[in-house]
Amino acid sequence: MYYWNDLAEIPADIGPTVITIGNFDGVHLGHQHVLNRLVKVARAQDAAAVAISFDPHPAQVHRPESAPELIMGAKDRVQALADTGLDGLLMMHYTLDLASLTAEEFVRRVLVEALHARTVVIGHDVRFGKGNAGDLDTMRELGRELGFAVEAVEDFGALPDGPASGRRCSSTWIREALREGDVRTAARLLGRTHRMRGEVVHGAARGRQLGFPTANLAPESSGLIPADGIYAGWLVDQTGTRWPAAVSVGSNPTFEGVSRQVEAHVIDRPDEEIGDFNLYGQHVIVEFVDRLRGMIAYTGPEALVEQMRLDVERTREVLSTESGTGR
């Protein structure tokens, strides 16, 4: 997949293209529904399938105090978009200058002059241009004027069963699920397990002292942190090796003065077979499969250790039924 950060990087002979536009936070099943259609149309027209996205998220520029937490970091978003079969991704740096372009200016400069659009594939709720004034009808009018076709894709309802049956798949729904610790619903909406990515840093070493050493993610790690609690999951190291892990999210109320953190205890560590199992300094992925329980304050270390043993056993049980692919 070709990756461009600026219109000047796009080759003059790129066209024709089939294009879609979106923030694509999470690259969830709803996004994939549009992107899969985009690729299919592009192949049928012998054109390049190109997505346009933005970094930072527009809400972080217009209303940083209330901007939503991002489900995934930039690296994971680019990889997830590439996995859909796109030929190219234009990741535009979102600024107030870009936001000041009218709908017609944006379409003319970006879609027509830079990318030579033959067809635009978009959802019914698309908004673009200054003040989000452009919508589906606007795009159709501009298509007739500027010479490209427009195809609207119906919304994707991800969960056919349960209390939210028929609800439109959205990044908002995924954020709600993660804030509740419902990583299984989030995974169903994403089409893959939710993940965080970050560097393993030194912590207080309490886990090691208790017999359950953990890999602590740096505070600046990417990916939305789910609700406090203990999770069954996976740790993927820099070599791509996947390790089953019991993952703790929170401040550990048994000990005072502990800030909120994400730490993963690799189950059945291979120390005896391969020597020191050292993850410090590695950039790893932590995947969340299922929430086992919430955070509880115990009367002392002994009670906590016993609960941790139970958490490890429960993690083994949960992961034994999982494929572990994480998609």
Side-chain angles (χ1 to χ4, degrees), residues 230-297:
I230 305 299
Y231 296 81
W234 302 89
L235 183 145
V236 185
D237 65 22
Q238 287 187 167
T239 70
T241 303
R242 303 172 61 79
W243 305 101
V247 185
S248 171
V249 177
S251 58
N252 196 335
T254 303
F255 301 98
E256 295 182 357
V258 180
S259 59
R260 192 165 190 253
Q261 57 193 22
V262 177
E263 48 188 326
H265 168 66
V266 172
I267 295 174
D268 303 324
R269 289 162 54 105
D271 301 62
E272 295 181 1
E273 290 81 4
I274 64 173
D276 186 27
F277 183 66
N278 187 2
L279 294 172
Y280 290 122
Q282 287 197 33
H283 286 80
V284 303
I285 295 169
V286 173
E287 298 177 354
F288 300 85
V289 173
D290 197 12
R291 188 172 189 244
L292 305 181
R293 62 176 176 86
M295 276 293 183
I296 302 171

Side-chain angles (χ1 to χ4, degrees), residues 164-178:
S165 175
R167 181 178 178 181
R168 174 178 176 271
C169 182
S170 67
S171 300
T172 298
W173 188 0
I174 295 168
R175 293 187 191 102
E176 290 174 3
L178 292 174

Side-chain angles (χ1 to χ4, degrees), residues 59-290:
Q60 294 176 325
V61 174
H62 292 291
R63 51 181 192 282
E65 71 289 345
S66 61
E69 295 180 86
L70 297 182
I71 296 167
M72 58 171 31
K75 184 173 183 178
D76 287 309
R77 179 164 51 133
V78 170
Q79 183 59 59
L81 287 167
D83 289 344
T84 66
L86 288 174
D87 299 304
L89 171 62
L90 172 61
M91 187 68 73
M92 302 191 75
H93 181 56
Y94 194 85
T95 63
L96 292 177
D97 285 341
L98 178 61
S100 69
L101 294 178
T102 66
E104 180 177 354
E105 289 172 334
F106 177 81
V107 169
R108 188 182 294 274
R109 292 186 192 180
V110 181
L111 277 63
V112 177
E113 295 176 359
L115 289 168
H116 311 296
R118 174 179 287 171
T119 302
V120 176
V121 177
I122 48 178
H124 286 266
D125 63 344
V126 67
R127 309 294 298 191
F128 60 98
K130 184 177 181 180
N132 276 336
D135 58 12
L136 177 58
D137 288 338
T138 308
M139 188 68 78
R140 284 172 168 157
E141 291 172 7
L142 291 171
R144 287 190 289 270
E145 177 185 343
L146 299 174
F148 59 84
V150 176
E151 179 175 326
V153 180
E154 297 297 327
D155 287 342
F156 183 83
L159 304 183
D161 56 350
S165 175
R167 181 178 178 181
R168 174 178 176 271
C169 182
S170 67
S171 300
T172 298
W173 188 0
I174 295 168
R175 293 187 191 102
E176 290 174 3
L178 292 174
R179 292 191 189 105
E180 295 170 358
D182 187 0
V183 293
R184 283 201 176 272
T185 292
R188 292 180 68 187
L189 294 166
L190 289 166
R192 74 187 86 83
T193 52
H194 175 62
R195 60 176 52 183
M196 293 186 63
R197 182 189 297 268
E199 182 181 359
V200 176
V201 298
H202 289 276
R206 286 195 179 90
R208 183 176 297 276
Q209 294 166 10
L210 296 173
F212 295 89
T214 59
N216 298 268
L217 292 188
E220 61 272 17
S221 298
S222 65
L224 197 157
I225 303 175
D228 288 4
I230 305 299
Y231 296 81
W234 302 89
L235 183 145
V236 185
D237 65 22
Q238 287 187 167
T239 70
T241 303
R242 303 172 61 79
W243 305 101
V247 185
S248 171
V249 177
S251 58
N252 196 335
T254 303
F255 301 98
E256 295 182 357
V258 180
S259 59
R260 192 165 190 253
Q261 57 193 22
V262 177
E263 48 188 326
H265 168 66
V266 172
I267 295 174
D268 303 324
R269 289 162 54 105
D271 301 62
E272 295 181 1
E273 290 81 4
I274 64 173
D276 186 27
F277 183 66
N278 187 2
L279 294 172
Y280 290 122
Q282 287 197 33
H283 286 80
V284 303
I285 295 169
V286 173
E287 298 177 354
F288 300 85
V289 173
D290 197 12

